[in-house]
Amino acid sequence: MPAEFAFTLNGQATTVRAEPAQSLLEILRDTCGLKATRLGCGLGQCGACTVLVDGEARHACDTSMEAAAGHDITTLEGLGSRADPHPLQAAFVEEQALQCGYCTTGMLMCSAALLRRNPDPSEQEIRQALDGNLCRCGVHNRIVRAVRKAART
């Protein structure tokens, strides 16, 4: 039975009507109209759907609305904008860390969570933090450089 769920979305108080088990990803994309968060595997294994929940990286595809209620959710749309990009977004562009772009949202959100808890990560720490995000294009080295660059800004 649908219920109302309140949470903070990109800094704005938000209330949606959804099934308790409905995925946060589905609500973000279909109800809230935020399309940056991608559906990859749908099993929480590829990282394409990563968002920040209270500043921590979480897979939106396997987070229920019931679990998301009451929390602070940040999507890529809330990280930065074209006019005022987050340092990670600017560094990804500068380092050409974007290829097909499918994994980019998850990589950016995992990197943002990493930099929140560790503002000066080593290459090893960056690789470990992004280990759960699949990229088929092979731009991992560029992504690591971009995260290091953003950490220095």
Side-chain angles (χ1 to χ4, degrees):
M1 173 174 272
E4 286 199 0
F5 296 96
F7 55 100
T8 302
L9 178 59
N10 297 331
Q12 301 292 316
T14 303
T15 302
V16 297
R17 188 159 184 80
E19 294 288 338
Q22 199 167 0
S23 77
L24 175 60
L25 176 64
E26 188 177 347
I27 295 301
L28 292 172
R29 290 184 59 83
D30 299 339
T31 302
C32 300
L34 300 176
K35 304 292 187 182
T37 307
R38 308 268 195 242
L39 171 61
C41 66
L43 301 170
Q45 297 176 352
C46 73
C49 65
T50 303
V51 297
L52 301 181
V53 177
D54 298 331
E56 297 293 323
R58 296 278 161 77
H59 297 138
C61 73
D62 64 1
T63 299
S64 70
M65 276 313 301
E66 190 169 43
H71 293 279
D72 185 7
I73 311 296
T74 305
T75 67
L76 186 64
E77 290 91 342
L79 194 63
S81 66
R82 188 174 297 265
D84 185 24
H86 185 279
L88 278 165
Q89 292 169 310
F92 268 58
V93 170
E94 290 167 10
E95 292 295 328
Q96 299 181 4
L98 317 155
Q99 192 104 22
C100 80
Y102 209 83
C103 72
T104 306
T105 299
M107 293 286 192
L108 283 165
M109 300 312 286
C110 278
S111 298
L114 170 65
L115 294 182
R116 281 181 184 217
R117 66 178 185 274
N118 181 358
D120 188 24
S122 67
E123 181 177 332
Q124 173 79 17
E125 291 167 325
I126 295 168
R127 290 186 185 281
Q128 188 172 19
L130 300 177
D131 192 43
N133 294 71
L134 302 179
C135 171
R136 295 180 184 165
C137 301
V139 294
H140 291 92
N141 291 332
R142 293 180 192 174
I143 291 170
V144 170
R145 281 197 312 265
V147 175
R148 294 285 300 150
K149 180 179 266 188
R152 288 186 226 116
T153 58

